[in-house]
Amino acid sequence: MDTGERIRSARNQRGITQKQLGKACGIDEANIRKYETGRQNPKLETLKKIADALEIPISDLIGIPIDEKAMESVMRDSKHAITFETDEHIGIRSRSALVRYRKDYLLYQENFERLKTAFQKLNEAGQQKAIDYISDLSELPKYKKDM
């Protein structure tokens, strides 16, 4: 299921029309229709408005589990990047690349939080073993990022 289908499904579960959803989140009904049909992809901040209006977590619309606090941080920290076409600071020159960057960053944050939570459950010996395993994995070409 894609984002548009998730928006439609959540809206239908709430029993509201596209017009009512648009009014609740300050988005034109025509744009809601475009999002639901997949003719247009909503920006991250637009998805947040829609999720808030539907009273659901944004992760329900995106379709992947996301740490909501990390997502809020990314949105807050990148307000200027959302507004402008380029973000010289991180070397991104197109809106689509910026969207991909944010999605990658959110996924990274989610994975990091999962790793941190698991790591905190370990005793000192377990933590050292985990560090050793991660160090070993980081040396294997199969698991290295393309830089």
Side-chain angles (χ1 to χ4, degrees):
M1 186 182 288
D2 67 15
T3 301
E5 292 169 329
R6 287 186 192 92
I7 293 170
R8 178 183 296 125
S9 175
R11 180 181 57 76
N12 287 334
Q13 286 178 354
R14 299 272 303 155
I16 61 175
T17 66
Q18 291 174 336
K19 185 174 186 171
Q20 290 168 321
L21 176 57
K23 187 173 182 176
C25 59
I27 298 170
D28 189 68
E29 173 187 1
N31 284 337
I32 298 292
R33 189 171 20 268
K34 288 176 186 175
Y35 300 148
E36 288 188 0
T37 60
R39 287 184 294 156
Q40 187 173 325
N41 291 317
K43 293 186 240 176
L44 189 58
E45 61 269 28
T46 303
L47 277 175
K48 179 68 175 142
K49 289 178 185 178
I50 294 170
D52 289 347
L54 293 169
E55 299 176 342
I56 60 173
I58 192 171
S59 59
D60 287 2
L61 298 180
I62 295 173
I64 57 172
I66 292 177
D67 181 316
E68 296 287 325
K69 289 181 184 172
M71 194 243 6
E72 290 289 337
S73 173
V74 169
M75 288 179 66
R76 183 176 51 254
D77 294 345
S78 59
K79 283 289 185 203
H80 298 292
I82 291 168
T83 304
F84 301 108
E85 285 297 318
T86 64
D87 186 350
E88 299 298 328
H89 177 68
I90 56 176
I92 295 176
R93 301 194 181 281
S94 74
R95 189 168 300 282
S96 62
L98 186 58
V99 169
R100 281 193 308 277
Y101 169 80
R102 280 199 203 99
K103 286 180 182 177
D104 290 347
Y105 181 77
L106 289 172
L107 186 58
Y108 168 82
Q109 285 293 101
E110 178 69 21
N111 287 337
F112 184 78
E113 287 301 316
R114 289 175 51 213
L115 181 63
K116 186 171 85 172
T117 299
F119 188 81
Q120 290 170 337
K121 292 178 183 177
L122 299 173
N123 63 22
E124 190 175 328
Q127 288 178 352
Q128 187 55 54
K129 198 67 159 171
I131 291 168
D132 293 343
Y133 285 148
I134 291 172
S135 294
D136 289 346
L137 284 173
S138 71
E139 296 301 318
L140 297 174
K142 178 180 178 178
Y143 299 112
K144 281 189 175 185
K145 282 185 180 179
D146 294 329
M147 297 289 185

